[in-house]
Amino acid sequence: MNEFVRLTINDGVAVITIDNPPVNALGAGVPEGIAAAIDRAEQDRPVSSIVLNGAGRTFVAGADIKQLEDQAHGRGPGAPNLHGLLKQIEDCSKPVVMAIHGTALGGGLELAMAGHYRVAAPDAQAGQPEVNLGIIPGAEGTQRLPRLVGLAAALEMCVSGKPIRAPEALRLGLFDRIIDGDWLSGAVTFAREMAARGGPHPRTRGRNEKLGTTESNAELLAHGREQARKTRRNMLAPLAVIDALEAAVTLPFEEGCRREREIVETCLASGQAKALIHAFFAERAAARIPGISKDTRTYNIRRAAIIGSGTMGGGIAMAFANAGIAVLIKDADQAALDRGLATVRNNYETSVNKGRFSKETMDQRMALIHPQLTYDGFENVDLIIEAVFENLALKKQVFAEIDRIAKRECILATNTSTLDIDQIAAGTSRPQMVIGTHFFSPAHVMRLLEIVRGAATASEVIAAALALAKQLRKAGVVVGNCRGFVGNRMMLPYMREAQFLLEEGATPMQVDQALVDFGMAMGIFAVGDMGGLDLAWRVRQEYKYLEKPGVRVPLVLEKLFEMGRWGQKTGAGWHRYDEDRKPIPDSKVEALIEAVAKQAGIPGRTISDDEIIERCIYIMINEGARILDEGHALRAGDIDTVYLAGYGFPAYRGGPMWYAGAVGLKKIYEKIMDFHRQHGELWEPAPLLKRLAEEGNTFASLDASKEVLAVRS
Ligand code: T1G
């Protein structure tokens, strides 16, 4: 026992409690404390059985990822070796019962699987999410899990990294009993039952009955690898974990464990692991705002209201209903409201048909969404989100109306993606209560929430928006009120550069394929077609005033707009689309591009995929450096979180700013200088990028130095 682990004896049952907030991670000292407690309980004659549980909100959420991060970067001892402890538990002469509530994840589930029995609260979850960190289970999980649930389920759990719920875990044989009500005293009762029943108690490592046959396993492994290549494109760990699971069904337990350890080492040394661990902590760090602490007074959002039931308004309403928050949704006319709610219902029916949740759940969520044509009830809500057409005058009119109706402590938010928050706030009597909550389409799916602070926005309101993001299970990132905020501001030069590459000889499909091969969820032209080229054209008109004479502008988009090629909504845009909405090259567009370039005197040439990536990604990094320099993002990690959660940037590359560090800022700066010489002022290197490159620093080291300063202040 030690500061992390307590032992109490309850009438012959030793109850061992891990207490290492916030998630009982198996950091240094925890395995040692458990080992000492098990030893003590085994020696203690009156003790007939042992129950292991976690204090607070969860069982054990894994190894301490901070220590894994150190190990990956060759700093410090890294995560403790659990093998000795796991054997000690499994070989214990008294039944060891794992009592699981909250989550048993990674090393936490591996610890649980070394126990003889596992009982759980009905809403408990269990999983091996290690692949999401670029590694594989490293505490014999790949050897024990298939022995408990079979190879097929183990493959699904380890490759997806998604947790399963208690009922499924019981069905698969991972859990032995679900305990309603007081799960801990239920576990103690269960332990007594097992002691009374007597041993030998099942040791997972000896359970081979579910390990299948060579033929069936070969098929499962082949299908698993195919699935991993498809669903986790370019990622190393999902394929590596299958190698370890293969060892479990082909090698004796100890040899399988040795194989697992080799594979873990390889993964941990990879750039992907460093990037994914960075992404994990960057998303959590985004919630830390200087001047806002756990003691900052804030506003609880229990009831909300949305104005506008279009694509965004409807999606936002679903996000609230999915989080169990009642929401009013208002639109100007019945037809628009009916269309909006029909889309909401259709989205839910699609999820029910795909088995994501039951019809009953759908009905519960629909019942939380209240469509209406008036502002009735708006005076009682805690938050109003305006999601009307992207027009400043219209938004100011709406804000004037809700400013008159809403209670004083109601937060007034706008879902604008491009307009100035301060101008919108200026039209109200409470600019300190106005904030930008920029959702991404589809709002009930996309995880990113850009929280835009205006010049007057109060800290309490920012704190409330961050708490709301957590409630909605979104990645909330606080950004400054500049043109396009963070995400779209970096997207504009990215889209522009991509269009220039077309004029110089690349095709839309070549550019998109290079970006998809790089790991982007979608190519930039497919993204444009999905969002609608009419929207892109409108944004372009909105910002035409910023275009300088003599500075190059893209030439083709306007033509496509005039031709009515507005993307998927018109069946064709940069690409044309087959019946499955799959983009296919369009020779008409390629010919149009060639003609426009010729007319503009732009010579065509062969463009390499490397150049496509350099010009599309480096221009974003450069803009990101400007955003950091101007203070419109607090950390480079925030920018990474924006791009990972909202723009389909590959997580295994850590985000654009982390990727810059992986490539090397010096190399990127020199390439940008090249492009500056070739293409002029649009490639002016950002001063911060220049400085960090010359200092040999990275954006991550800049964040780390800021973190130190913040901690000091
Ligand atoms: N290690 C260290 N810190 C952790 C942690 C962990 N495993 N999990 C969470 N935290 C911190 C997090 O940084 C945050 O800190 C706080 O806890 C709350 O987290 C041997 C090698 C458990 C579902 O991948 O998925 O085991 O910002 O904001 O939304 O094979 O945290 O407040 O300072 O996310 O309620 C495998 C990771 C590790 C699970 C809770 N385990 N954690 O979600 O809270 S690898 C995981 C989560 C491993 C073995 C291998 C979630 C959660 P701060 P939070 P939440």
Side-chain angles (χ1 to χ4, degrees):
M1 294 59 66
N2 57 20
E3 68 201 282
F4 304 114
V5 179
R6 292 191 298 277
L7 169 65
T8 54
I9 309 292
N10 172 340
D11 188 14
V13 178
V15 178
I16 299 173
T17 303
I18 302 165
D19 193 353
N20 182 26
V23 294
N24 295 327
L26 298 167
V30 176
E32 295 80 354
I34 299 171
I38 294 272
D39 201 35
R40 168 76 185 281
E42 189 154 23
Q43 309 303 330
D44 199 331
R45 292 182 64 75
V47 168
S48 61
S49 59
I50 300 168
V51 169
L52 194 87
N53 75 106
R57 62 188 174 124
T58 188
F59 181 68
V60 174
D64 187 329
I65 303 172
K66 262 279 164 248
Q67 292 175 334
L68 283 174
E69 186 178 45
D70 290 343
Q71 195 172 349
H73 291 274
R75 317 183 286 257
N81 179 327
L82 298 177
H83 304 293
L85 171 64
L86 300 171
K87 190 165 187 333
Q88 179 194 3
I89 292 171
E90 206 161 40
D91 291 347
C92 183
S93 59
K94 300 173 181 178
V96 178
V97 176
M98 298 293 176
I100 298 165
H101 76 298
T103 57
L105 300 175
L109 180 56
E110 292 170 294
L111 178 70
M113 291 193 287
H116 302 119
Y117 305 99
R118 284 150 296 282
V119 300
D123 59 355
Q125 298 191 38
Q128 302 283 181
E130 284 88 345
V131 288
N132 300 333
L133 297 168
I135 57 174
I136 74 165
E140 304 169 1
T142 62
Q143 306 307 302
R144 287 200 170 83
L145 187 61
R147 284 173 163 79
L148 290 175
V149 302
L151 180 60
L155 279 164
E156 174 53 35
M157 288 176 71
C158 290
V159 171
S160 72
K162 291 195 182 110
I164 61 172
R165 296 178 181 284
E168 174 67 358
L170 183 70
R171 187 186 69 75
L172 288 170
L174 184 58
F175 291 171
D176 299 287
R177 185 178 295 176
I178 291 183
I179 298 173
D180 293 313
D182 183 342
W183 53 272
L184 185 52
S185 64
V188 169
T189 307
F190 180 92
R192 283 205 186 93
E193 280 174 32
M194 292 308 112
R197 199 170 69 178
H201 299 288
R203 293 191 295 183
T204 307
R205 74 169 183 264
R207 299 173 65 169
N208 300 331
E209 67 277 10
K210 286 190 177 177
L211 288 182
T213 64
T214 310
E215 297 70 39
S216 65
N217 290 338
E219 226 177 282
L220 285 171
L221 292 164
H223 176 72
R225 290 188 170 104
E226 191 194 321
Q227 279 305 100
R229 286 194 188 93
K230 217 177 354 183
T231 60
R232 319 244 32 205
R233 234 164 12 93
N234 302 345
M235 287 182 74
L236 304 173
L239 290 169
V241 80
I242 297 176
D243 295 345
L245 290 168
E246 181 167 21
V249 296
T250 55
L251 299 173
F253 182 80
E254 294 305 339
E255 279 181 53
C257 289
R258 266 195 298 282
R259 183 83 186 97
E260 177 193 90
R261 283 197 285 279
E262 288 162 10
I263 297 171
V264 167
E265 294 307 319
T266 311
C267 288
L268 207 47
S270 72
Q272 292 198 359
K274 294 181 183 71
L276 287 158
I277 291 172
H278 157 73
F280 177 86
F281 285 119
E283 182 173 328
R284 281 138 188 97
R288 291 196 282 274
I289 310 298
I292 295 180
S293 70
K294 290 193 175 42
D295 313 323
T296 301
R297 188 175 72 83
T298 186
Y299 301 93
N300 293 327
I301 313 291
R302 282 179 292 276
R303 281 172 301 194
I306 297 164
I307 303 168
S309 64
T311 309
M312 290 312 295
I316 297 169
M318 290 178 72
F320 277 78
N322 296 354
I325 302 173
V327 60
L328 309 177
I329 183 163
K330 173 188 182 300
D331 210 313
D333 66 70
Q334 193 60 50
L337 207 52
D338 294 346
R339 259 196 320 276
L341 269 294
T343 306
V344 167
R345 178 173 294 284
N346 189 26
N347 287 339
Y348 276 135
E349 277 162 359
T350 306
S351 297
V352 170
N353 297 342
K354 287 187 179 159
R356 291 211 186 104
F357 45 76
S358 66
K359 172 80 173 55
E360 190 202 343
T361 301
M362 166 179 158
D363 296 342
Q364 284 163 358
R365 293 179 181 183
M366 287 294 294
L368 287 169
I369 301 175
H370 307 284
Q372 55 189 65
L373 295 174
T374 66
Y375 280 121
D376 292 356
F378 273 54
E379 67 281 5
N380 302 323
V381 300
D382 308 305
L383 165 73
I384 300 174
I385 300 182
E386 161 276 313
V388 301
F389 192 66
E390 194 71 350
N391 174 282
L392 186 58
L394 175 61
K395 290 184 189 283
K396 291 182 84 161
Q397 179 205 326
V398 169
F399 268 74
E401 289 165 4
I402 56 180
D403 186 32
R404 276 195 302 278
I405 296 162
K407 60 185 181 183
R408 295 316 298 169
E409 63 279 18
C410 178
I411 294 173
L412 307 183
T414 170
N415 182 56
T416 182
S417 56
T418 56
L419 299 172
D420 183 341
I421 305 292
D422 294 336
Q423 287 195 44
I424 294 172
T428 73
S429 63
R430 54 175 106 183
Q432 78 287 359
M433 298 302 285
V434 175
I435 193 165
T437 51
H438 180 206
F439 289 79
F440 289 75
S441 183
H444 61 292
V445 176
M446 295 303 287
R447 290 189 53 247
L448 178 62
L449 179 61
E450 267 188 334
I451 297 168
V452 189
R453 70 189 307 168
T457 306
S459 299
E460 297 82 357
V461 171
I462 295 170
L466 282 166
L468 175 71
K470 195 131 189 138
Q471 252 180 302
L472 301 179
R473 305 199 72 69
K474 303 264 183 212
V477 180
V478 176
V479 299
N481 180 32
C482 59
R483 186 168 67 86
F485 312 135
V486 167
N488 286 347
R489 177 172 164 180
M490 291 166 68
M491 191 74 164
L492 287 172
Y494 167 28
M495 290 175 105
R496 182 189 64 215
E497 232 14 70
Q499 291 174 54
F500 286 162
L501 285 159
L502 299 185
E503 295 164 11
E504 294 162 36
T507 66
M509 194 52 84
Q510 182 200 0
V511 171
D512 275 9
Q513 194 54 54
L515 291 165
V516 167
D517 294 348
F518 173 79
M520 298 300 284
M522 283 175 83
I524 188 66
F525 294 113
V527 170
D529 283 347
M530 187 175 68
L533 301 189
D534 53 328
L535 191 67
W537 181 84
R538 205 167 291 119
V539 171
R540 173 89 189 274
Q541 306 318 305
E542 192 102 19
Y543 292 122
K544 254 208 159 107
Y545 71 95
L546 288 164
E547 291 170 3
K548 294 190 196 138
V551 175
R552 189 179 175 189
V553 293
L555 303 170
V556 178
L557 173 67
E558 309 255 328
K559 303 272 184 273
L560 293 177
F561 175 76
E562 287 150 13
M563 293 159 70
R565 293 180 67 106
W566 294 2
Q568 283 196 16
K569 62 179 82 173
T570 58
W574 292 104
H575 306 297
R576 58 191 174 83
Y577 290 82
D578 66 15
E579 56 284 353
D580 304 326
R581 287 179 173 247
K582 199 160 161 305
I584 39 185
D586 192 329
S587 55
K588 285 203 202 86
V589 173
E590 291 169 13
L592 171 70
I593 295 167
E594 227 173 289
V596 168
K598 194 154 180 256
Q599 197 183 16
I602 302 168
R605 60 186 173 85
T606 305
I607 304 226
S608 71
D609 289 359
D610 288 349
E611 181 180 349
I612 291 171
I613 296 304
E614 287 166 351
R615 284 178 60 183
C616 289
I617 307 295
Y618 292 10
I619 196 84
M620 273 206 275
I621 294 166
N622 200 37
E623 193 65 27
R626 284 207 180 85
I627 290 170
L628 274 173
D629 232 354
E630 296 163 16
H632 289 303
L634 284 168
R635 289 158 286 247
D638 291 3
I639 297 177
D640 288 334
T641 301
V642 163
Y643 263 75
L644 297 180
Y647 290 81
F649 197 94
Y652 62 83
R653 292 189 188 276
M657 309 315 276
W658 178 268
Y659 171 71
V663 172
L665 288 199
K666 189 164 178 307
K667 178 172 175 220
I668 289 187
Y669 173 65
E670 283 161 5
K671 196 70 198 175
I672 288 178
M673 285 301 283
D674 273 356
F675 290 145
H676 188 210
R677 278 185 289 275
Q678 291 170 44
H679 304 293
E681 72 175 73
L682 292 173
W683 276 97
E684 172 91 31
L688 175 64
L689 180 69
K690 179 174 185 300
R691 180 166 63 79
L692 292 173
E694 286 165 352
E695 292 166 355
N697 275 325
T698 66
F699 293 111
S701 59
L702 178 74
D703 281 357
S705 63
K706 279 186 188 164
E707 193 83 8
V708 172
L709 285 175
V711 170
R712 279 209 200 110
S713 65

